[in-house]
Amino acid sequence: MKAVITDHPFPSLDLAKNILNKNGIEMEALQTKETEIIIEHTRRAGGVIVGMAKIDKKVIDALEQCKIIVRLGVGFDNVDVGAATSRGIMVSNIPDFCTEEVSDHTMALLLIIARKVIQGQKAVREGKWGPMA
């Protein structure tokens, strides 16, 4: 069986490739959101793993052997779940994808606001130095 990753944010897919290979699944990694390229590479795939690429009815109708589409993220915004369901293709997501990163970023933004970092940076660039009001 073959799994195709359409697009992803990772510097390396070695871990995923090792896990899939150990389970008898060949992995092909693309880095595209182009519909025609996705169709060409996923036509005979048993599984599609998608980041931000759009998996619409046109792509889904071209899938000949697909059993599952996995979204690398929390939502399904870019996958036509209805079209997949009508073809008997399961759609899954990763509900806790990047939750730690999002919470870290949220805390960083709260600290930026609380400590007036943006206003301080602007003041320093303007040659002002001193306490912020």
Side-chain angles (χ1 to χ4, degrees):
M1 177 155 89
K2 174 179 161 183
V4 176
I5 299 176
T6 60
D7 60 302
H8 61 88
F10 309 111
S12 170
L13 294 172
D14 292 342
L15 179 61
K17 187 173 187 171
N18 288 337
I19 292 169
L20 291 172
N21 287 344
K22 285 179 185 177
N23 289 283
I25 301 168
E26 172 194 349
M27 184 188 90
E28 179 181 357
L30 307 174
Q31 199 57 294
T32 187
K33 295 177 187 169
E34 298 293 323
T35 299
E36 296 306 320
I37 295 171
I38 291 170
I39 289 173
E40 176 186 335
H41 289 266
T42 61
R43 185 174 306 278
R44 290 182 182 80
V48 177
I49 303 168
V50 59
M52 299 302 291
K54 190 164 183 68
I55 305 299
D56 58 13
K57 185 174 180 352
K58 181 178 180 179
V59 174
I60 291 168
D61 285 345
L63 300 172
E64 297 172 0
Q65 301 174 14
C66 189
K67 301 292 182 213
I68 187 167
I69 298 169
V70 178
R71 166 72 167 87
L72 286 175
V74 175
F76 300 104
D77 302 18
N78 55 327
V79 178
D80 187 336
V81 177
T85 302
S86 71
R87 294 275 319 278
I89 300 171
M90 185 184 334
V91 179
S92 178
N93 67 341
I94 304 170
D96 60 352
F97 186 79
C98 286
T99 53
E100 289 182 24
E101 291 82 355
V102 170
S103 62
D104 288 350
H105 192 73
T106 300
M107 290 306 299
L109 292 174
L110 287 170
L111 288 169
I112 287 170
I113 293 167
R115 302 297 274 168
K116 300 180 182 178
V117 171
I118 304 297
Q119 295 93 324
Q121 179 190 32
K122 183 177 183 242
V124 169
R125 287 178 186 256
E126 293 172 353
K128 301 172 187 170
W129 195 261
M132 299 287 302

